[in-house]
Amino acid sequence: MRRRTFTAGAAAGAALLAGAGCDAPGGAGYGDGEHGDGDGGDGRGSGGRRGAPVTLTVLTHYASEPLASALQTVVDAWNATHRRITVRTAAVKFADLLTTYMVRQAAGQGADIIHPYCLWTGQLVRAGVLRPVPPAAARQIRRDFTPAAVAASSVHGTLYGYPTEVQTYALYYNKRLLRQAGIDGPPGTWQELEDAAYRTARRDRHGNMLVQGFGLSRADDASVVGQTLALLAARGGTFLTSDGRRTAIGSAAGRDVLDLERRLIDRGAADSGISLLGAFPSGQVAMAINAGWWTASLRGAMGADYREVGVAPVPGPAPDDRGTLATGFLLGVNAKSRYPGEAWEFLHWLNGVRAPAARPGRSAGGGVPVSRMSALQVSVGSMTGRADDMRALLGGDGEGDADGRGGGDRNLGPFLDALRYAVPEPNGPRAQQAKSLLRKNIEDVWTGRASVDAALRTAGRQIDQELSRPY
């Protein structure tokens, strides 16, 4: 999954997080039965003598700004109000995160708390890296978080962490390019999407693409597979069977999606060789499917032109079809941590306890009661799976100034709405390998190296073989 550069202002982020920074210590009942709550219980740590100081390490991918500072602000607030349990942060680049978890675990040097991509949950559970969420915390997570976020953080119905960042996919469109083609609004069906794509696409007299009607991104697994699985969900299809043991991409729904993408290329409306992430902000792409994190990047890259960006649900074949993909991250406790009780207490404080936080672009005074993680994510232009928190922070359904400078961004509304119906990304033990195989076969269709039928046959054979391998 591609990590992105957020462009939210550091000062705004600090103000938002400051409102959620301090309250009385808590967490009793959210450990795993091996400890008392760190400062307010009996003082008995899960890995040391009564009242002994404890230092916890959190290993994340928040290695760049503003993510690193946003997390550190919250950790500093914890450390300022909790005498016995100290939390320290460590970070590596996202590309190195899974390998780091596995290598350090094998060497007996794993962090107490880890922050993995939910796609890897099954692999980490099978490798003995993650421990299940304690019962009280699991009940709260199932109550407070959306079903897609809960499912993404679970394996065979067992939760392994608090959902943190959650992303859904939607259709971005350039209002100016649609207007110039005589189109009043975003497409509501695949036929309307195709018509709009063909009408907005433009080439010069040499045949060079000037404007893509629909952008197909080959930046990484998340771009290629994410947009395709979002369309697949809108068509009513799934990537894998319900038990996760076989691929379902060869269904009629999967064929329809790849046929659609190939048709857009053949008829000159799309060119997968052009960088979507650069072309869309430059006004050279009329429509594209991407995740919600892109709103913050586009605001920073486009300036005043961001007013021309709109977001709508991913369309399906019929007007009422709704479907999309949800991806995310979780914060969980290492199965080999010496202090699991204290670790769960910190995570409950961060993710399960509400505290006043100011809305983006407003003063830190007053505010709305949300979890600290929700405040953190909104401060960097992202979301959590706590839909109530998101609506409180963003103001209703994400309504705000068109360019986001007033704090809210109306373009976040469709992503927030999609939390209700999004399909979580499969996260079995070989999910990453299956996703990489699917990407290769999708790209073979896009580049003309394979027909749709041939790519689906190859993908089915390769992915089923991968899923059947012993771990």
Side-chain angles (χ1 to χ4, degrees):
M1 181 179 182
R2 180 179 181 272
R3 289 307 305 161
R4 54 257 183 261
T5 302
F6 288 114
T7 55
L16 178 64
L17 293 171
C22 301
D23 70 348
Y30 282 84
D32 55 7
E34 301 178 9
H35 81 303
D37 60 311
D39 291 300
D42 64 9
R44 192 183 305 278
S46 58
R49 61 184 174 80
R50 183 182 183 91
V54 169
T55 298
L56 302 173
T57 301
V58 182
L59 178 58
T60 79
H61 54 289
Y62 286 4
S64 59
E65 297 299 341
L67 293 164
S69 293
L71 178 60
Q72 193 59 53
T73 296
V74 179
V75 168
D76 288 345
W78 164 275
N79 289 334
T81 56
H82 292 74
R83 299 180 302 278
R84 190 176 69 86
I85 305 172
T86 300
V87 177
R88 299 283 181 259
T89 61
V92 298
K93 293 184 296 184
F94 175 75
D96 301 326
L97 190 62
L98 179 59
T99 300
T100 301
Y101 287 149
M102 301 298 282
V103 170
R104 291 193 182 183
Q105 194 76 1
Q109 299 175 350
D112 298 282
I113 298 170
I114 64 173
H115 194 193
Y117 180 25
C118 288
L119 181 75
W120 308 330
T121 308
Q123 181 176 349
L124 293 171
V125 169
R126 185 71 64 88
V129 178
L130 283 168
R131 69 171 62 217
V133 174
R139 288 192 294 271
Q140 183 193 40
I141 292 170
R142 291 191 173 95
R143 183 185 69 240
D144 292 347
F145 288 78
T146 60
V150 173
S153 302
S154 303
V155 176
H156 299 310
T158 299
L159 270 162
Y160 285 91
Y162 281 92
T164 57
E165 174 188 342
V166 172
Q167 297 292 338
T168 56
Y169 284 70
L171 180 75
Y172 288 83
Y173 60 97
N174 185 304
K175 302 174 189 176
R176 176 180 59 81
L177 293 177
L178 292 186
R179 283 198 308 270
Q180 290 174 351
I183 302 169
D184 294 332
T189 65
W190 282 6
Q191 185 61 59
E192 291 178 1
L193 184 147
E194 284 196 72
D195 291 345
Y198 302 142
R199 290 169 61 178
T200 52
R202 290 193 293 112
R203 295 179 181 269
D204 64 19
R205 61 189 181 89
H206 302 292
N208 299 311
M209 183 74 79
L210 298 177
V211 175
Q212 292 187 82
F214 187 83
L216 296 171
S217 176
R218 293 172 59 191
D220 51 23
D221 283 356
S223 299
V224 176
V225 177
Q227 62 193 10
T228 300
L229 293 188
L231 284 166
L232 182 66
R235 169 61 176 78
T238 60
F239 174 28
L240 302 181
T241 56
S242 58
D243 60 8
R245 295 181 178 179
R246 295 179 64 84
T247 180
I249 195 66
S251 66
R255 182 170 284 98
D256 286 347
V257 170
L258 292 186
D259 277 338
L260 170 65
E261 293 176 341
R262 184 66 233 177
R263 224 169 25 247
L264 291 166
I265 295 171
D266 289 342
R267 298 183 184 179
D271 185 341
S272 64
I274 297 174
S275 170
L276 171 66
L277 300 182
F280 189 96
S282 301
Q284 297 172 312
V285 178
M287 297 175 293
I289 292 173
N290 211 338
W293 63 263
W294 208 22
T295 59
S297 293
L298 291 175
R299 280 202 308 271
M302 297 179 70
D305 289 339
Y306 181 70
R307 292 180 178 273
E308 297 294 347
V309 176
V311 175
V314 176
D320 294 331
D321 289 339
R322 284 290 179 270
T324 191
L325 180 73
T327 65
F329 288 76
L330 65 84
L331 273 169
V333 175
N334 194 319
K336 294 184 178 180
S337 172
R338 295 175 57 203
Y339 310 108
E342 288 84 349
W344 286 120
E345 181 181 345
F346 169 70
L347 292 183
H348 171 61
W349 177 90
L350 180 61
N351 298 276
V353 176
R354 284 188 166 97
R359 288 175 175 168
R362 304 184 185 184
S363 66
V368 292
V370 296
S371 76
R372 295 168 177 83
M373 180 53 69
S374 292
L376 187 160
Q377 292 300 328
V378 170
S379 79
V380 296
S382 186
M383 301 192 306
T384 69
R386 296 189 69 150
D388 290 345
D389 283 3
M390 295 300 97
R391 295 187 191 284
L393 284 167
L394 299 173
D397 290 326
E399 290 293 330
D401 294 343
D403 59 6
R405 293 178 183 176
D409 183 347
R410 69 188 61 182
N411 283 337
L412 290 175
F415 300 102
L416 182 58
D417 292 339
L419 288 172
R420 296 196 301 265
Y421 58 81
V423 176
E425 193 172 30
N427 64 358
R430 296 197 173 276
Q432 180 64 66
Q433 295 90 332
K435 185 175 184 178
S436 296
L437 289 169
L438 179 59
R439 174 190 178 179
K440 180 183 183 305
N441 284 282
I442 292 171
E443 289 187 332
D444 282 349
V445 171
W446 291 359
T447 57
R449 290 193 295 264
S451 67
V452 170
D453 285 342
L456 288 173
R457 286 194 300 269
T458 302
R461 183 179 67 254
Q462 291 177 340
I463 294 169
D464 285 350
Q465 182 178 15
E466 182 65 36
L467 295 175
S468 68
R469 289 176 56 193
Y471 185 79

